[in-house]
Amino acid sequence: MNCLTKTLAALFPAIALLPLSGCASRLDYTLNPPVSNDWVTVTVKLPQETEALPLDVLYRSETCRKEVYDNTTESHVTAVRGLNPKLVTLQPQGNGDIRQARVAVDGGGRCEWKLSAIRVDIQLKGDDPLASGKHILPTSYVFGFDDQAYGSGEGSGRKREVHGDLTLKNELFPMTVFNRVFNENTIALFGGDTNYEKWSRHYRLFDSKHILIEPVLYSKKIVSLETPKSRKDSPGMTVLYPDGSTEKVDDIYPNYDKLLRMK
C-alpha cells in the first residue's frame, strides 16, 4: 500500500462522518421546498390606519440539531432541534388594503426544515396622528404548527387549538399608556387581556392552509392609561375610557367588555 493509499484509507472514516457532524455543528439554513409541498397562505386585511410588519416565520429541524446548556443533565449539554428564523414580507394584493404571503410547510433543504410557527404583527402607521410622539407597539398573532414553545409569542396569550382554516376578526381599540415616572408614551392596539383564553391570539393549528386576519379598529374610541406620578403613590393604572369615565385598575389592561359596549 503506497503512501497516498494509506492516507486515503485513514481519512475515509472521517470523511464519511462529515455530513452528520457538519450538520450538527454548522446548520445549513437554506430552504428548498419540495415541488409537492403544502403551503399556508396568510392574508391580512388592514384597517386604513395600520400596517403589517414582515411575518416572523420559524422553522425547526430534527436532522440538524444544536447543543445547548442543560443543568438537568450530568454533562450539562443536550441536543435540541435546530432553529431557522425567516422574515417573509406580506405582499399587497392589487391597490387595496389586503396583504398576503405563502409559507412552505416543508422547508426542505439539507436540514429538512419543518414549519414550527408564524407570527403576524400589525400596528398603527408611524405617520398616523395618534402615533405622533409615541413608541408604537405591535399587536401579535401567533400560529403554532407543532407543540414546541415559541419564545417570541409573549403577549399573544395561551394556545387555542384550531383544526382547518382560520378567520379572525378581532375588535381593536387604540390604547395609549403614559408612564409618568419615566415620561414615556406608548401606543398599541388593544384587543382584550390575552391572559383570558377567549381573547387569546395564540393558536395551535392542525391541517390549516389558509389564515385570514381581518381586524376591526375603532380608531376614534381611544382608551388611555397613566401610571402613578411617583412610586410613593398608590399602585395601579388610571384608565380614561372613550366616554370620559375613569377607573383604577390593578394591572395594565382596561376593561375590554366595557370598551366593547362603547364601540
Side-chain angles (χ1 to χ4, degrees):
M1 183 180 292
N2 60 34
C3 182
L4 178 59
T5 303
K6 291 180 180 179
T7 302
L8 289 176
L11 287 176
F12 183 78
I15 294 173
L17 291 174
L18 278 178
L20 178 60
S21 62
C23 195
S25 61
R26 295 183 60 187
L27 302 186
D28 183 347
Y29 297 102
T30 304
L31 297 183
N32 186 20
V35 176
S36 59
N37 195 18
D38 288 330
W39 297 79
V40 177
T41 300
V42 179
T43 305
V44 182
K45 187 174 182 182
L46 292 167
Q48 181 179 358
E49 303 87 349
T50 66
E51 62 184 356
L53 302 180
L55 300 181
D56 181 2
V57 178
L58 179 64
Y59 287 91
R60 297 184 192 265
S61 171
E62 290 283 2
T63 303
C64 296
R65 303 175 72 84
K66 65 175 184 177
E67 294 183 343
V68 297
Y69 175 77
D70 184 356
N71 61 2
T72 65
T73 64
E74 184 176 351
S75 65
H76 298 300
V77 174
T78 190
V80 300
R81 292 196 294 166
L83 303 179
N84 189 358
K86 301 288 185 183
L87 291 179
V88 178
T89 301
L90 287 154
Q91 300 295 336
Q93 303 299 300
N95 297 321
D97 51 5
I98 296 177
R99 306 290 184 271
Q100 192 173 88
R102 288 206 317 157
V103 179
V105 175
D106 185 349
R110 180 166 164 244
C111 286
E112 300 178 343
W113 297 104
K114 305 296 182 184
L115 180 61
S116 179
I118 298 174
R119 191 184 77 228
V120 181
D121 292 329
I122 66 170
Q123 64 182 29
L124 279 176
K125 293 178 180 177
D127 59 359
D128 189 272
L130 283 178
S132 178
K134 302 179 183 68
H135 177 61
I136 303 172
L137 296 179
T139 294
S140 299
Y141 299 77
V142 174
F143 307 97
F145 296 85
D146 59 25
D147 293 324
Q148 188 129 6
Y150 176 63
S152 297
E154 297 89 348
S156 55
R158 294 176 292 177
K159 286 183 183 179
R160 294 194 281 176
E161 289 191 2
V162 173
H163 294 260
D165 296 340
L166 179 61
T167 296
L168 301 173
K169 295 188 178 183
N170 305 81
E171 297 179 282
L172 304 176
F173 297 83
M175 180 178 73
T176 64
V177 180
F178 180 47
N179 188 319
R180 300 179 67 91
V181 176
F182 297 103
N183 196 33
E184 293 177 344
N185 228 335
T186 62
I187 189 164
L189 303 176
F190 179 64
D193 181 355
T194 56
N195 290 317
Y196 294 95
E197 185 177 350
K198 63 180 179 179
W199 294 323
S200 172
R201 297 185 300 274
H202 193 171
Y203 300 88
R204 169 63 168 99
L205 301 186
F206 297 88
D207 302 317
S208 304
K209 295 184 179 180
H210 297 275
I211 299 169
L212 171 61
I213 302 173
E214 191 175 354
V216 178
L217 175 61
Y218 301 103
S219 58
K220 304 300 182 184
K221 302 295 183 178
I222 305 167
V223 57
S224 302
L225 286 78
E226 284 192 7
T227 65
K229 293 182 180 179
S230 72
R231 301 183 188 276
K232 297 180 181 180
D233 294 334
S234 60
M237 306 279 281
T238 300
V239 183
L240 173 63
Y241 290 95
D243 65 353
S245 61
T246 62
E247 70 174 342
K248 195 92 169 198
V249 295
D250 294 330
D251 52 26
I252 59 172
Y253 299 111
N255 187 322
Y256 187 57
D257 286 321
K258 185 174 181 178
L259 281 170
L260 291 174
R261 293 194 293 270
M262 300 178 188
K263 65 185 183 183

